[in-house]
Amino acid sequence: RFFTPHITLYLLALPAPPYWPVIQRADFSGNPLGVEVRDFMQTFRELNTLMTLSCAGCGLTGRLDCDSVTFYDRSSLSRYGNTEFTERSVAAYPTLRPGFVSLTRLFLSHNSIVALDELRLRNLARADLSSNALESVRGDWLAGLDVRIDGNPNLRIDRIDDSLDIQSCEDVLSLKNVSADTLVPNPAAYVPQRDPKGLSNSTYECTTLCNTWIMVDFSVAEEKLCRCLPGYSGTGKACTMCPAGTHSNRQVGTQSCQRCPDDADSEEGSAACFCRLGYEKRGNEPCEPCTAGSVGVRNAGSDGSRSRWICQDCQEGLDCSVPINYNASVLPRFFQLTARLQSAGASPSATREVTTYGAGLTELPIVIPCPLPASCKGTDKASGLNICSEGHEGFVCNRCKRGFSRQTPQQ
C-alpha cells in the first residue's frame, strides 16, 4: 500500500478497537447491523484472545477479504504520520499485521455476503457461511477447513473432479497424483431428487462430496454432482426420458440413450432392453430365438418384467414346427381361446375378435380339444383366429349356424 499523510491520518481517525483483553467468544447474532462484513470484522481484528465470532442474521454485506482480517498497528501509523516527509521511506512504512490470531470459529450465516476472498485466518478451523449471497469462493477456503457454504444458490465451484474412476471415497486415497484437497463427488451417495413442485417423478439423482468437511448444495456444480437416472438421458439435471427401443443405465451410461439390439426392444423410459417375443436371454448372452417345438411365454417374471420372457415347450394342440411368436398355429381338432375387444377409434359397440395370446391377455396360447373334433379345422395363418367346418360356429365350433341342424350328437 502506498502511504501518504492523508491515508495515514484517515486510518488514525478510525475508531480504536474495543479493549477486551481476555474475551474469547463474541456473539452478535440476530442484531440488524446492516453493515459491510469488512467493517464488522475490522472492529475485532486486534483482539488476540478472541476464538469464536458469531454474527448470524446481522444483515452483513460485501466481501470477506484481506482488509477484513488484517490491520496496521496504530502506534506505527502514528510514528509514520509524525515523521518529517524528508525522513519517510518505504522501510518506515507501517507493517501490515494479521488479525484474529486466535480465531478458530467464524459463524456468519444468513447474511448477504457475496464473496470469500483470500483466506488469511491461519488458525481458523470451522466456518459457517451458509444462506448468504455468495457468488465466489477462493480455493483456500476449501482446503481442509470445516466450512458450510450451502444455501447460496448463485455460487458455482469449477474445481470438482468427476473424472476419477472410483467406487467409493476410500478409493481416492489409493490414487496417485490426487491431493487430499481435491474435491471429488461421492459415488456411493447419490439420492433421487423429486420435482420441488411435485409435478413429476424423479428424473435425476445427486450426491455430496467425498470431502465431508465441506457442505455445499449440488447447485454449485450440477453437471458434476448430478446425473440422470437409468431410463433417462442428459447431463446434470437436464434429463429426458429414453424413447421406446432405447435404454440407459449405469453400465452404458446415462448421457445418451443406447439403441436396443435388433432382437430386443424396450418401452419408453427403460433401463434395459427385453428380448422380443419369440426370443429369450440365457445368462449374459444376447437374445436367442425360440427353437422349433417351443413358444414364447409373454410374462414369466414375478414382477411382470418382460426382460425375463422365455421360450417354453409347446403344449398339445399347437403346431410348433416353427417358433410361435404372436399368432399360434393350432392343429385341427383343437380350438384356441379368443376374446372380443373394442376396436380402436370406433364406437363403444364396435368390437373385434382376437386371440387372448395375440392380445397379450394370457401368457401362452390357450388351446382346448374340441368336443366335435371334425368341426375344428385349426386356425387362420394370417389372423390366428379359429376355422370351423361348414355349418359350425361359436365356442369350440359346437353351435350350428342358421340353416343347419345337427344330424348326430357328433356331427
Side-chain angles (χ1 to χ4, degrees), residues 220-243:
V220 300
E222 291 176 355
E223 70 285 355
K224 295 183 177 181
L225 294 177
C226 300
R227 63 187 184 184
C228 298
L229 288 170
Y232 295 82
S233 69
T235 57
K237 300 195 312 181
C239 302
T240 57
M241 186 179 292
C242 289

Side-chain angles (χ1 to χ4, degrees), residues 27-38 40-41 53-64 106-116 128-135 148 150-153:
D27 189 349
F28 303 93
S29 298
N31 290 285
L33 303 182
V35 298
E36 289 202 15
V37 64
R38 177 188 302 165
F40 170 76
M41 298 287 289
L53 179 60
S54 304
C55 197
C58 294
L60 303 181
T61 61
R63 309 175 71 92
L64 185 54
L106 179 64
F107 304 122
L108 303 177
S109 65
H110 296 85
N111 286 292
S112 298
I113 302 170
V114 298
L116 303 180
D128 185 353
L129 290 118
S130 59
S131 301
N132 271 273
L134 293 177
E135 297 178 356
R148 281 194 60 176
D150 53 310
N152 289 279

Side-chain angles (χ1 to χ4, degrees), residues 157-166 172 175 177-178 182-186 209 211 224-225:
I157 299 176
D158 58 6
R159 53 175 296 185
I160 297 175
D161 188 352
D162 63 341
S163 64
L164 303 180
D165 185 14
I166 58 173
V172 178
L175 297 178
N177 303 321
V178 177
T182 300
L183 304 185
V184 180
N186 187 341
L209 293 173
N211 317 67
K224 295 183 177 181
L225 294 177

Side-chain angles (χ1 to χ4, degrees), residues 23 140 146-147 161 172 179 190 210 249 262-263 266 307 312 314 327 335 338 360 390 394 400:
I23 188 170
D140 42 6
D146 185 350
V147 60
D161 188 352
V172 178
S179 70
Y190 281 93
C210 286
N249 53 46
D262 292 340
D263 52 11
S266 72
S307 64
Q312 184 168 308
C314 262
N327 290 331
F335 185 91
T338 62
E390 185 179 5
C400 291

Side-chain angles (χ1 to χ4, degrees), residues 185-401:
N186 187 341
Y190 281 93
V191 176
Q193 305 294 316
R194 295 191 63 84
D195 184 336
K197 299 180 180 179
L199 301 178
S200 63
N201 295 326
S202 300
T203 63
Y204 63 94
E205 58 186 3
C206 299
T207 187
T208 57
L209 293 173
C210 286
N211 317 67
T212 54
W213 56 89
I214 303 172
M215 186 175 293
V216 297
D217 297 321
F218 56 75
S219 60
V220 300
E222 291 176 355
E223 70 285 355
K224 295 183 177 181
L225 294 177
C226 300
R227 63 187 184 184
C228 298
L229 288 170
Y232 295 82
S233 69
T235 57
K237 300 195 312 181
C239 302
T240 57
M241 186 179 292
C242 289
T246 67
H247 71 293
S248 73
N249 53 46
R250 294 289 161 249
Q251 287 70 40
V252 301
T254 57
Q255 291 189 341
S256 62
C257 300
Q258 303 298 312
R259 185 165 296 280
C260 294
D262 292 340
D263 52 11
D265 203 354
S266 72
E267 296 176 346
E268 187 179 32
S270 293
C273 301
F274 55 80
C275 295
R276 295 182 186 274
L277 187 61
Y279 293 79
E280 69 174 347
K281 194 171 183 65
R282 302 181 181 96
N284 294 324
E285 298 297 320
C287 297
E288 297 287 343
C290 294
T291 58
S294 64
V295 60
V297 179
R298 280 189 170 275
N299 212 356
S302 59
D303 59 352
S305 170
R306 287 188 285 182
S307 64
R308 294 191 55 80
W309 282 4
I310 61 173
C311 304
Q312 184 168 308
D313 291 341
C314 262
Q315 63 191 93
E316 185 183 8
L318 292 177
D319 178 8
C320 290
S321 58
V322 294
I324 294 176
N325 292 336
Y326 293 96
N327 290 331
S329 179
V330 178
L331 298 173
R333 303 163 60 89
F334 290 87
F335 185 91
Q336 183 175 193
L337 187 64
T338 62
R340 299 202 69 86
L341 302 179
Q342 183 177 348
S343 299
S347 64
S349 60
T351 60
R352 58 189 176 90
E353 185 179 13
V354 294
T355 65
T356 57
Y357 177 66
L361 301 177
T362 55
E363 296 179 3
L364 290 167
I366 305 300
V367 179
I368 306 169
C370 291
L372 302 177
S375 66
C376 296
K377 299 296 185 181
T379 53
D380 182 87
K381 291 183 178 180
S383 65
L385 298 178
N386 297 285
I387 301 174
C388 296
S389 61
E390 185 179 5
H392 293 79
E393 65 179 0
F395 181 66
V396 295
C397 300
N398 198 34
R399 186 175 68 243
C400 291
K401 289 182 178 181

Side-chain angles (χ1 to χ4, degrees), residues 35-81:
V35 298
E36 289 202 15
V37 64
R38 177 188 302 165
D39 296 334
F40 170 76
M41 298 287 289
Q42 285 178 344
T43 306
F44 311 105
R45 57 192 172 179
E46 296 183 46
L47 300 178
N48 293 333
T49 60
L50 184 63
M51 300 178 66
T52 302
L53 179 60
S54 304
C55 197
C58 294
L60 303 181
T61 61
R63 309 175 71 92
L64 185 54
D65 56 14
C66 176
D67 288 341
S68 305
V69 297
T70 57
F71 68 97
Y72 291 95
D73 181 71
R74 296 181 68 85
S75 60
S76 64
L77 284 173
S78 181
R79 285 195 303 271
Y80 185 79

